[in-house]
Amino acid sequence: MTPIELDAIDLHLLEQLQTDASLNNQALAERVHVSPPTCLRRVKRLKEVGLIEREIAVLSVDTLANVIGHGLTAVVEITLDRQDQEALEAFEQRVQSDDAVQQCYRVSPGPDFCLIVHAANMPDYLALSQRLFTFDANVRNVKSFFSLKRSKFGARVPLPKAP
C-alpha cells in the first residue's frame, strides 16, 4: 500500500468538508483558494484513497423528536468472556450489521466494547439487547447508560495545521 501524501490544500479541503460537506464545488474551491477543476480533482482523489469515507446529514434530534418522538440513545459497555481475536471480530461483525448500533469502539482497559445505540422506545431497546447481547453466549456483562440530553455531537477528526 502506497503512503498517502497530503499537502496544505488537501488538509484545508478535508477541514472544510468536515465542517460542511454540502458545499458545492465552486464554494469549496473559493474557500480553499484553488480553481474549481483543481478542487474537484483533489476531492475525487481524497475519496479514491479512502480518506473521505462517506458524506452524511446530521439530523437534529430535538426537532425530529417533535415529529417522531424522542426515542432512546444509550451508551452500552460490553464485556466478553473470551477476548481472542476471533471472538472480538465475531462480535464486531454482528453489531456492525445492526442498524440500531450507530458507533462501536473496541476499548481498553475496562469493558471490551463501547457502543452507541438508538432505539425507538424501551421495548425496541429490549429487542436489541436480546438480539445482540442475551443470545450471545460470549457476552459476559452489559452495562447501559441512557442519554437524557444530547449536548454535543460531532464526527470531526483533528487534522494537523497546514504549513
Side-chain angles (χ1 to χ4, degrees):
M1 183 175 201
T2 5
I4 300 167
E5 292 191 26
L6 300 174
D7 63 14
I9 294 170
D10 292 326
L11 291 171
H12 200 185
L13 281 167
L14 290 170
E15 188 63 40
Q16 290 298 314
L17 289 169
Q18 282 192 111
T19 302
D20 186 356
S22 71
L23 291 171
N24 66 33
N25 186 59
Q26 179 71 36
L28 184 58
E30 288 173 12
R31 287 194 183 183
V32 298
H33 311 291
V34 296
S35 70
T38 297
C39 183
L40 195 61
R41 185 179 67 254
R42 283 178 174 258
V43 170
K44 182 180 179 200
R45 179 181 144 273
L46 293 169
K47 287 179 181 178
E48 287 172 350
V49 298
L51 287 171
I52 299 173
E53 188 174 326
R54 62 191 166 125
E55 296 175 35
I56 62 168
V58 177
L59 306 181
S60 167
V61 292
D62 292 334
T63 304
L64 195 56
N66 294 326
V67 180
I68 64 170
H70 284 281
L72 296 173
T73 301
V75 178
V76 184
E77 293 180 355
I78 304 295
T79 304
L80 302 179
D81 262 339
R82 294 182 332 278
Q83 289 86 13
D84 58 87
Q85 192 65 23
E86 186 178 315
L88 293 168
E89 288 175 4
F91 182 81
E92 282 177 327
Q93 287 176 353
R94 190 169 52 267
V95 299
Q96 285 173 3
S97 67
D98 196 294
D99 288 339
V101 178
Q102 299 301 300
Q103 297 174 43
C104 174
Y105 299 94
R106 195 184 294 188
V107 297
S108 177
D112 297 308
F113 292 94
C114 282
L115 310 177
I116 307 296
V117 301
H118 292 294
N121 49 40
M122 194 52 81
D124 192 37
Y125 179 79
L126 176 61
L128 169 139
S129 179
Q130 290 174 334
R131 179 172 71 244
L132 294 178
F133 316 136
T134 305
F135 298 142
D136 183 343
N138 194 35
V139 173
R140 178 176 17 145
N141 191 31
V142 178
K143 193 177 204 180
S144 299
F145 304 90
F146 293 96
S147 170
L148 301 176
K149 179 181 184 227
R150 181 175 90 179
S151 302
K152 180 179 180 180
F153 175 84
R156 220 176 166 77
V157 175
L159 297 170
K161 297 294 179 202

